[in-house]
Amino acid sequence: MAPPPIRLATRDDVRAIAALSRTEIEHGLPWRWTPPRVQRAVADARTNVCVAEQGGSLLGFGIMVYADDTAHLSLLAVNPDARRQGVGTALLQWLEQVAQVAGIARVQLEARHDNASALAFYRRHGYAQTDTVPGMYLGVADGVRLEKVLVQEPAAARRP
């Protein structure tokens, strides 16, 4: 089964995105990606919020913030009923393609240290662990930083 198409999020998607973040990413933590914060991300020119939906139901979303040569994947979540169907891969690839078009060299992200399925997902997609941060998530959970190089820098451009 082919994953659903990916599109930019709109104001109409904000509540569903915030709710999915709350249940699938922020469980056990204070809710930080509330509807107003998601709406600010949707409206921010340096951020892409994309969604996959089917039949009017949100299957998953991704939020990526772009800087000059790096991008930060702030959130990526897939509804539990839609997992293992290529939705997460489609979202991640869409965001990475946008980053490459924008000239971004690397994508960085964080995940909970105890989220083995998320860490395996990112590793399958070429992300490598760069750091472990004790208490990263408000002192409640440890975090892992990961990074994927999208564009190799020419040898002459690398810093010694």
Side-chain angles (χ1 to χ4, degrees), residues 71 95-97 99-100 104-107 127 148-152:
L95 289 163
E96 287 176 350
Q97 286 173 351
Q100 284 181 310
I104 300 295
R106 21 182 117 250
V107 176
Y127 287 79
K148 180 177 181 177
V149 175
L150 300 177
V151 178
Q152 277 302 91

Side-chain angles (χ1 to χ4, degrees), residues 84-140:
R84 304 269 181 212
Q85 298 175 30
V87 175
T89 295
L91 289 162
L92 184 61
Q93 288 175 343
W94 190 95
L95 289 163
E96 287 176 350
Q97 286 173 351
V98 171
Q100 284 181 310
V101 168
I104 300 295
R106 21 182 117 250
V107 176
Q108 300 167 331
L109 63 95
E110 296 85 31
R112 288 187 193 204
H113 186 267
D114 62 358
N115 190 342
S117 61
L119 294 173
F121 170 82
Y122 290 120
R123 287 183 180 119
R124 275 194 313 274
H125 290 285
Y127 287 79
Q129 182 173 336
T130 60
D131 198 10
T132 301
V133 182
M136 174 184 274
Y137 294 95
L138 303 173
V140 174

